[in-house]
Amino acid sequence: MDNQSKHDELSGVYNRRRFIQMMSTVTTGSVLLAACGGSDNQPLTKTTHVNTLSQKDARATLDASVGKTYFPSDDPNVLDAYTAPPPLIQSVQYVPGHGGKVTAFTISFHPAPTPYGQNKYWRELNKRLNVDWQVMLGPSDTYPEKATALLASGDVPDIFYVGLDGAPALITPVKQGAFTDLTPYLSESARKQFPNLAKIGPDAWKNSSRFGKIFGVPRPRSTAGEVLCIRRDWMQKVGITDPKNLDEFFKMAQEIQKAKPDGQQTWAFGSISPTRDFFYQMYRLPNKWGMQNGKLTYYIEMPQFKDAIATVKRFWDAGLFHPDSFTATQAQNKSDHASGKFAAYVDGFTALSGQRANAKKINPKADVVILPPFGYDGGAAVHWKGGGYYGVASIPIQKGGDSGRVKELLRILDYLCAPTFSVEGQFLALGIDGWDNEKGPNGLKKVSDRGQNEIQDMAYIANAPQVLYYPDEPPLGPALQNTQRQLLKMGIDDPTTNLVSETARLQSAKLSQIDSDHFLRIIKGDEPVSAGVDQWIKDRQQSGGDKVRQEFTQQL
């Protein structure tokens, strides 16, 4: 394909015939959900009031539970915590849609839902949104190809999920203006007209923007980055529960391995690739990019990097990493950690609760916690913050010419971002009471098998900020909130998070391979640390690294 053809494909100049041809391929392995047609537009009207406490009474009840069952965050980027569910509120006061058809495309991690004719949840969702909701689900493993092909077709849905991390090729259409600039609608003051969208934290809005514009509604996630999940019960067995420097950490790892705390051979750490970031944070390295002497500097170029990677090698040479640590997948990491094959592995902040539960199924005494980083020398460490979002829900430019239509679509997204403890949020997550859900042993509702089949990823294109609430282990919510505060206190951002480097995109595979190859050779002793790092820096700079720096610097 020549350059002009590539440009045309990304610019979406294919005709209707091309779209039909493309759809015969795209719908293999994905599903196009279609319902009956909608009605003509109608004036914006208030929703029917549901049987809940008034806003005033719900607020009073919530205020009375502060410090008891409700632990509100004093930081918009820290998650609220609960030990018991509060009274439900009604978060949406106006009917979102005007009765017509609304199409959407989003990434999916589950099978196709029950077809419309047999799906009560879908029909109820249409009723509550007051639209004919049609959503195409792109399976996660083929999302990049399907997203690019669908955008190229020229016949695009009203709402389009854009995940640049998974589909970096989409940055070109974003730059070319393929999506509506939502800044006038969603600036900090303007988004107040969408109360649920206004609850999304500032980091998510800032980090999801590109080219100085808000081009989609971010799907909020914890701003805490990846963390070290470790067996605290094993740390207690060897008497080192609070290592404060590198030597204590090394001794703790050795003692755990010697002790065989669950009566079997174990190692200190799982996969070496993500675990190394914990060591880098101990050495206060920047979050990928940082400033040194006024110059944007990649973390391997920092003077302390040689000491940091030498420390990782020291732990490897001591046999403290699992033998499969260079090849294991994250799924294997989680499974092996839960079964007691090693003490610690790196995962996302909110993954801890699930990992605790998995480990307790195998050993009820297992106590998996987050170990925040500490300075290698006993001083302060840093924590590499995450972006605070996972993709955005955008409105293609073809659909954004009418401001009334844009606001309608944003009201729909506002509904889909309803808080967890709201009437709308409970419906989105749990479906129709008595049909899609059932009460568990603790009296709380849970999705039934039928509900799972009906709900799936129907509304996954947007979501509310997460909350820390674990009905099977209520104290975990406030504990994790405190941990998140601790992490963010030492947290540092990647200053290039919402910047775009064309060279980084085009050379990403080559640069990643350089990073991987040099790291592997240094750790295994095929390259000496100092000379190996020097060559690593040189290879990276000459293969586009300096050009990436230049492009980022221009934008900064």
Side-chain angles (χ1 to χ4, degrees), residues 225-245:
E226 292 192 326
V227 294
L228 190 72
C229 301
I230 192 166
R231 288 282 297 269
R232 182 168 57 186
D233 53 315
W234 289 5
M235 297 168 70
Q236 290 170 337
K237 282 188 178 182
V238 301
I240 305 177
T241 57
D242 188 24
K244 293 183 172 61
N245 56 51

Side-chain angles (χ1 to χ4, degrees), residues 331-496:
Q332 290 172 315
N333 256 328
K334 295 169 83 75
S335 175
D336 288 349
H337 178 260
S339 64
K341 290 186 178 179
F342 43 80
Y345 84 109
V346 167
D347 208 336
F349 173 77
T350 53
L352 177 79
S353 60
Q355 192 62 15
R356 282 178 64 84
N358 291 337
K360 285 181 179 294
K361 288 177 184 177
I362 298 172
N363 182 348
K365 295 182 179 179
D367 184 18
V368 183
V369 300
I370 291 171
L371 182 65
F374 41 85
Y376 71 98
D377 54 1
V382 298
H383 169 68
W384 291 359
K385 291 172 61 178
Y389 77 103
Y390 180 63
V392 301
S394 299
I395 299 174
I397 192 67
Q398 300 97 311
K399 309 290 183 174
D402 179 356
S403 64
R405 178 62 165 173
V406 171
K407 289 181 179 179
E408 179 188 11
L409 297 176
L410 291 177
R411 283 196 304 273
I412 290 169
L413 291 172
D414 186 69
Y415 186 102
L416 299 181
C417 290
T420 299
F421 296 118
S422 67
V423 175
E424 301 83 6
Q426 291 288 290
F427 164 70
L428 291 169
L430 301 173
I432 301 169
D433 287 344
W435 178 260
D436 292 312
N437 59 58
E438 56 196 16
K439 287 191 175 181
N442 55 7
L444 298 176
K445 289 183 289 187
K446 64 177 183 177
V447 177
S448 63
D449 290 341
R450 175 167 56 196
Q452 183 65 47
N453 291 332
E454 288 197 348
I455 298 169
Q456 297 294 27
D457 291 320
M458 287 282 300
Y460 188 58
I461 198 165
N463 62 262
Q466 298 165 297
V467 297
L468 300 171
Y469 171 58
Y470 307 99
D472 294 331
E473 193 178 2
L476 184 59
L480 276 179
Q481 187 187 63
N482 288 333
T483 300
Q484 187 182 24
R485 281 200 184 96
Q486 184 180 355
L487 291 171
L488 295 187
K489 188 176 181 180
M490 65 177 80
I492 57 173
D493 292 302
D494 175 355
T496 69

Side-chain angles (χ1 to χ4, degrees), residues 300-362:
I300 69 169
E301 300 168 334
M302 300 294 284
Q304 69 268 39
F305 178 72
K306 290 181 179 179
D307 290 335
I309 196 170
T311 295
V312 179
K313 178 173 170 52
R314 174 190 173 194
F315 277 65
W316 168 262
D317 291 342
L320 298 175
F321 283 94
H322 190 274
D324 296 336
S325 63
F326 277 105
T327 58
T329 64
Q330 184 66 341
Q332 290 172 315
N333 256 328
K334 295 169 83 75
S335 175
D336 288 349
H337 178 260
S339 64
K341 290 186 178 179
F342 43 80
Y345 84 109
V346 167
D347 208 336
F349 173 77
T350 53
L352 177 79
S353 60
Q355 192 62 15
R356 282 178 64 84
N358 291 337
K360 285 181 179 294
K361 288 177 184 177
I362 298 172

Side-chain angles (χ1 to χ4, degrees), residues 33-95:
L33 307 177
C36 51
S39 61
D40 293 336
N41 288 357
Q42 52 188 282
L44 186 64
T45 58
K46 273 187 171 289
T47 59
T48 302
H49 182 71
V50 293
N51 187 24
T52 61
L53 291 175
S54 68
Q55 292 278 0
K56 180 179 178 181
D57 290 343
R59 183 75 256 176
T61 303
L62 201 60
D63 288 344
S65 65
V66 171
K68 301 172 184 176
T69 59
Y70 170 47
F71 301 85
S73 165
D74 52 3
D75 181 334
N77 292 313
V78 173
L79 306 179
D80 288 341
Y82 299 82
T83 57
L88 298 184
I89 62 168
Q90 183 170 344
S91 72
V92 176
Q93 304 302 318
Y94 290 92
V95 175

